[in-house]
Amino acid sequence: MRVRFHGAAGEVTGSCHEVEANGHRVLLDCGMIQGSDEDERRNEDPFPFEVGDIDAVVLSHAHIDHSGRLPLLVRRGYRGPIWTQHATADLLKVMLEDSANLAQMDADRDNRHRRDGKTNHKPLFTQGDVAAVLKQVRGIDYQQPREILGGVTVTLRDAGHILGSASVELAADEPGGRRVLAFSGDIGPRGTPILRDPVPVPGADLVLLESTYGGREHRERQATLDEIRDVLEHAWADRGNVIIPAFAVGRSQELLYWFARQWDEWKMARWKIFLDSPMAMKVVDVYGRHERLFDEDAQAVWKGRPHPFKMPNLHLTAEVAQSQAINNVCGGAIIIAGSGMCNGGRVRHHLRQHLGRKQSHIMFVGYQARGTLGRRLVDGAGSVRIFGEDYQVNAVRHTVGGLSAHAGQTGLMDWYAGIEGRPPVVLVHGEDDAREALARAMEKKLDARVELARPEQTREV
Ligand SMILES: [Zn+2]
């Protein structure tokens, strides 16, 4: 058995590893490269492997940096199965359809701005490509071994990162005996709301471990919750609205969960709550279909009153007209809208309305990448440009940390330490400083043999 690192080797996005097992070829993830325009142009490059050689794909979770090049893989001739957890299969549809939409809008905008009269910029992929991918998806449950190819078995275990996220155990009957590769996927922190804690793989000959936050720890969750409570109190005292830019998958649903769970303590009944994101609403439906994956706390909250997605003061605004009507609410509203980093989506319309108002509060609850509108606001910009117009910022800004979907250093080491025999480990899915910090800590505290994956490097399992 051997593995070759095609993506997320020395960077965070574009997760893609090719495994040769018992004479078959299996692709673990087929993710999109995200970042600068130059980075993202690499998505159009040919794959660094023969598409026709791939016999099966196993997808760890629905995030685009793990799944986003599947439509290209299928368009370029892949006709085999795409194995993944059932909830990931459902989320994949929402994510890829949204991604195809954005790709089409990008292409249209580019074509409008071209001065040479040519309008030939094609989107990276289309809804037709996405539909073809979805036909090839095969759902499986956690903890149920499945023979996906002759002598090759896959077992998925809950990774506690987003709904349906999995660590992948790939076992193969090789001529020299059984070999097992464990791929962490993205690992969530313990105690992530709604989701169960990550489950380690029992044993393996080689481990591929993500290292996104390999160099740091997260703040205590209770401190984060207290911070959210304080922001809401502050905004209520100011008679203002609270705008929360949030990712449609995971973070938006988590916020509604906390509001329902802290209903009395945070005096949530007095607010009008808007979930102003059609995509987040589709994800709410997916959560509804997979309640059996929730942890005990969430199961209890879902059985109690109020239900997180049916709070009496929660307004789901699907239509644009409904979204625009929120402008008439001058105080006492909490507005959750995408995109999470404010570089697209309805949140920009709300920011336009609210940035100038002293009584408005903007609460950031997720990562803000360099170059995004969200990052400029978090960094304290006095004025920002939205839709070609400048807006002065008088609103109060809050950055609430600690809601990460990724485990910190200790969480990653705990997951690894749960694997019997402490096999050699290769770090993927992290910037070099994060990987090096994690490698040092694992060598020192766990006596682990740690390597850093290099692009296109091959490693025997
Ligand atoms: Zn992820």
Side-chain angles (χ1 to χ4, degrees), residues 7-328:
E11 57 190 336
V12 171
T13 65
S15 177
C16 186
H17 312 294
E18 180 187 355
V19 185
E20 233 183 290
N22 196 29
H24 304 288
R25 281 174 198 267
V26 179
L27 211 56
L28 297 174
D29 289 349
C30 190
M32 195 181 282
I33 299 155
Q34 295 175 306
S36 68
D37 287 353
E38 195 189 325
D39 288 334
E40 295 194 3
R41 268 195 291 277
R42 284 160 49 208
N43 287 310
E44 294 171 28
D45 292 351
F47 288 106
F49 49 84
E50 286 296 328
V51 172
D53 289 348
I54 303 298
D55 300 302
V57 175
V58 181
L59 176 63
S60 66
H61 65 289
H63 276 151
I64 287 296
D65 63 319
H66 294 256
S67 68
R69 286 178 92 195
L70 285 172
L72 289 171
L73 189 74
V74 169
R75 186 203 281 173
R76 293 173 188 172
Y78 177 66
R79 295 289 172 267
I82 299 165
W83 296 96
T84 197
Q85 211 279 341
H86 292 290
T88 297
D90 287 353
L91 284 179
L92 187 65
K93 175 174 159 60
V94 180
M95 305 282 290
L96 290 183
E97 286 178 352
D98 178 69
S99 194
N101 245 337
L102 293 176
Q104 184 66 54
M105 286 188 324
D106 279 353
D108 290 349
R109 199 187 43 230
D110 276 9
N111 290 335
R112 268 200 309 275
H113 287 103
R114 285 179 76 117
R115 298 193 179 167
D116 55 9
K118 289 183 199 150
T119 53
N120 57 358
H121 188 120
K122 290 223 169 61
L124 189 61
F125 54 82
T126 65
Q127 298 292 357
D129 298 322
V130 171
V133 168
L134 298 174
K135 281 196 196 119
Q136 288 169 235
V137 171
R138 307 275 178 274
I140 41 181
D141 284 318
Y142 289 130
Q143 308 283 106
Q144 302 289 323
R146 175 70 73 107
E147 188 169 22
I148 60 167
L149 295 162
V152 180
T153 303
V154 67
T155 312
L156 303 181
R157 293 181 212 275
D158 199 335
H161 166 64
I162 61 168
L163 192 71
S165 63
S167 301
V168 179
E169 177 189 335
L170 199 70
D173 301 321
E174 295 286 313
R178 188 171 184 267
R179 304 300 286 173
V180 178
L181 175 73
F183 169 46
S184 68
D186 287 359
I187 305 274
R190 286 181 169 277
T192 292
I194 308 176
L195 305 180
R196 297 200 179 113
D197 286 342
V199 177
V201 175
D205 298 297
L206 183 73
V207 177
L208 310 187
L209 176 61
E210 71 119 325
S211 50
T212 315
Y213 287 124
R216 52 177 261 202
E217 301 291 355
H218 300 307
R219 199 170 355 166
E220 287 287 317
R221 190 165 312 276
Q222 190 54 48
T224 303
L225 292 180
D226 291 347
E227 217 177 328
I228 296 175
R229 178 200 62 204
D230 292 349
V231 172
L232 296 180
E233 279 296 331
H234 189 172
W236 186 263
D238 285 349
R239 299 169 185 275
N241 290 341
V242 183
I243 314 292
I244 311 180
F247 300 109
V249 179
R251 195 55 40 83
S252 293
Q253 295 76 24
E254 265 175 41
L255 285 164
L256 298 179
Y257 166 81
W258 288 123
F259 292 165
R261 191 161 179 262
Q262 311 296 108
W263 182 256
D264 293 323
E265 198 199 325
W266 291 0
K267 304 195 193 94
M268 293 309 300
R270 61 189 178 177
W271 292 93
K272 280 192 176 76
I273 304 167
F274 295 92
L275 181 63
D276 190 25
S277 162
M279 187 178 171
M281 276 175 242
K282 287 182 198 163
V283 177
V284 161
D285 290 340
V286 175
Y287 272 67
R289 289 201 287 280
H290 297 280
E291 283 178 23
R292 65 194 183 89
L293 301 181
F294 295 0
D295 67 7
E296 270 177 44
D297 266 13
Q299 307 246 7
V301 171
W302 250 258
K303 282 194 195 89
R305 288 283 175 275
H307 184 293
F309 300 155
K310 293 174 192 155
M311 290 179 277
N313 50 351
L314 173 64
H315 307 269
L316 306 174
T317 48
E319 304 301 326
V320 172
Q322 292 172 313
S323 172
Q324 285 164 344
I326 303 173
N327 291 342
N328 301 326

